[in-house]
Amino acid sequence: MEKLLSELAELGARQKFNGEIDFGAEIASDSLLEVMKIVGSEELSQQVLEGFLEQAPTIHQVLLGMTFASYLQSTTSGEASPGAQELSEPLKKARRSIRLLLNLTQRSPDFASRISSESVELLETLLATGSFDVECLIILLKTSQATWLEFQKSPRYSALLQRVLSKYSPDFSENSTILAYFSVLFEMDYGFLSMCYAEMDAPTFCEILDVLRVILTRKTLKIHSNNLLFVLNLLELVVVDYEAFWRARERKEPQSVEQRRVATVEILNLEVEIVGEMCSNTEMTSYLNEKATAMNSVVDVLDAVSIFRNKISIFLDFFQILHAEALFADFRAEQPSDWPKIESEHPRFEVLKRKIEEERRYEETQRRYPDRPRQPLPPKIQRVESSESLSLLANTIFSKYRSIDDVIGVPRVGELKLNCLKAIANLANLSDSNKLATLQNGRQGLISVLQCTTRRPEYFLESFTMRNQSIFCVRQLTDGCQENKEVVFNLQQPNQPIIDRKRLLEELGVHVDN
């Protein structure tokens, strides 16, 4: 064992791996196998490793270089096919090299901590091959406590993280390893999420948020509170200054502007869901109780999703606060009778066209009085339209509704709306101050929630789920809050009600006759 480690250290001091397929040819494959078994089975091998701590960074790089060099040699001979029954000698040597390194890192934490930032590029390259995923991911996990700061020195660090994220999928057996690895980064590096936001493109950042969401639901994994606060700050940035959000990287990457605009709904969807999950995180509950930032931001998102005034043909009275779906209905009404022209023959689109036609006929029955005098805009809509940020955000969300041929975009908007309701309910359950926050600074959060009980096109999201969640949210907002109860009691019966008031009050345990 000592002899092989010495040979590896001497090779690294004498020669740096730069892509040659004969790198490490003088190291016998059988020697790698023998030492791999010794390190994996004998505890005394840890004492031997203690004598090679100074050479540990070199040994890390040499074994990673030998792994890739042997892999390249196997590909040049056409023997690296994944379905091969027997491994070629170069591929055997590649696997023995990476597994020896894995055993070394597992045997000695001190040896594992000595891995250097220069190893990032080799780890990323090996992950790209797809042949050493398990070994590379475990090595990353075993060395993560020491490398979360060291690896940031490498310009390929963001690329490595993206490569790891690309492995995360429902059918991947090592998802738990990936989650554990990112959990260490979220816990140790309090600026990790802000770095990801600055360095990664919008789709990859969405994947990071999704991993954060999953980690948050698993109570055994930890997250630094600063990373959770970054989610709140980013959510606040979107509603307060939406333009700054999607122009964050304009100088560095001009194409990122449109990319972030397109990904707005998905990013908001994940952020709002994470905020809802934060309510069960003991480190965050005090912050969420003391400040109404989270509640205000989620209500603003719900308003941007729910409120939009048609500037052409819709006439409003006080209680007819329109959903973004209403603007979409007006847009749809202005289209030719054969709209949308979806070329796909998938059965889903046939159902979609039928639902659109049903919705068109329904909207026509609601437009009986085209000469009805225009009423002043409700203060709630005035607040949204007077806010440049919320207006821009509403336009972005409306563009998702119009992309009817996008099989993902439209359901995403409905999911965002549902997640807003869940987050508001969870935040209201935390404290009375959060309940009162829905009525402050021109917000009418309870009315926004009640709007979600209205009839909705079936192809957005199941109306039954939306209505039940909104009723539960109303319960949470009115429980122990007289101000919100007054909002419900003072609802008048409009010509076209947004809710069934009598049924709502009965579901809340209030009988109108009494």
Side-chain angles (χ1 to χ4, degrees), residues 1 5 8 39 45-46 48-61 63 100-116 142-143 146-147:
M1 177 177 174
L5 292 177
L8 293 173
V39 176
S45 59
Q46 183 173 353
V48 178
L49 286 177
E50 300 297 328
F52 287 88
L53 294 182
E54 294 297 326
Q55 295 84 12
T58 302
I59 295 174
H60 278 281
Q61 293 182 52
L63 287 174
L100 171 58
L101 178 58
L102 176 58
N103 285 357
L104 292 173
T105 56
Q106 288 180 317
R107 177 59 66 190
S108 173
D110 289 336
F111 185 89
S113 66
R114 301 303 179 96
I115 187 171
S116 64
K142 290 297 179 180
T143 60
T147 59

Side-chain angles (χ1 to χ4, degrees), residues 248-345:
R249 298 173 62 197
E250 184 178 19
R251 291 184 179 180
K252 185 177 180 180
E253 296 181 8
Q255 69 274 15
S256 67
V257 173
E258 184 59 25
Q259 189 184 65
R260 281 199 171 163
R261 193 202 304 269
V262 170
T264 295
V265 171
E266 186 172 1
I267 291 176
L268 278 177
N269 193 17
L270 290 165
E271 287 178 339
V272 170
E273 191 171 1
I274 289 170
V275 169
E277 291 291 342
M278 282 185 202
C279 297
S280 61
N281 186 294
T282 55
E283 294 182 4
M284 294 300 299
T285 49
S286 59
Y287 181 89
L288 296 173
N289 283 338
E290 295 170 2
K291 298 186 178 182
T293 304
M295 179 64 89
N296 291 339
S297 298
V298 175
V299 170
D300 284 346
V301 172
L302 183 60
D303 283 348
V305 175
S306 302
I307 305 175
F308 212 104
R309 180 171 65 96
N310 186 351
K311 298 177 174 57
I312 302 176
S313 60
I314 286 293
F315 301 92
L316 303 171
D317 60 34
F318 186 81
F319 290 97
Q320 288 176 303
I321 302 174
L322 301 182
H323 291 62
E325 293 93 324
L327 181 62
F328 174 67
D330 291 330
F331 167 79
R332 187 177 60 240
E334 297 171 357
Q335 305 307 310
S337 58
D338 59 346
W339 184 88
K341 296 181 179 179
I342 301 174
E343 298 180 358
S344 175
E345 298 181 358

Side-chain angles (χ1 to χ4, degrees), residues 442-472:
R443 294 180 178 85
Q444 298 180 16
L446 186 59
I447 297 297
S448 298
V449 172
L450 290 174
Q451 283 187 280
C452 298
T453 65
T454 59
R455 181 180 186 276
R456 306 178 66 256
E458 294 183 32
Y459 47 86
F460 288 143
L461 197 71
E462 291 79 4
S463 299
F464 180 80
T465 303
M466 184 72 71
R467 186 178 186 282
N468 280 2
Q469 186 62 47
S470 60
I471 292 295
F472 174 73

Side-chain angles (χ1 to χ4, degrees), residues 492-506:
Q492 301 297 322
Q493 192 75 8
N495 295 329
Q496 296 178 16
I498 61 172
I499 60 168
D500 186 337
R501 180 173 177 272
K502 181 178 179 180
R503 180 177 177 183
L504 172 63
L505 291 174
E506 288 178 351

Side-chain angles (χ1 to χ4, degrees), residues 193-200 205 230 234 245 248-249 260:
L193 200 57
S194 61
M195 183 277 295
C196 294
Y197 178 73
E199 297 294 332
M200 295 180 176
F205 184 68
F230 181 83
L234 185 59
F245 162 74
R249 298 173 62 197
R260 281 199 171 163

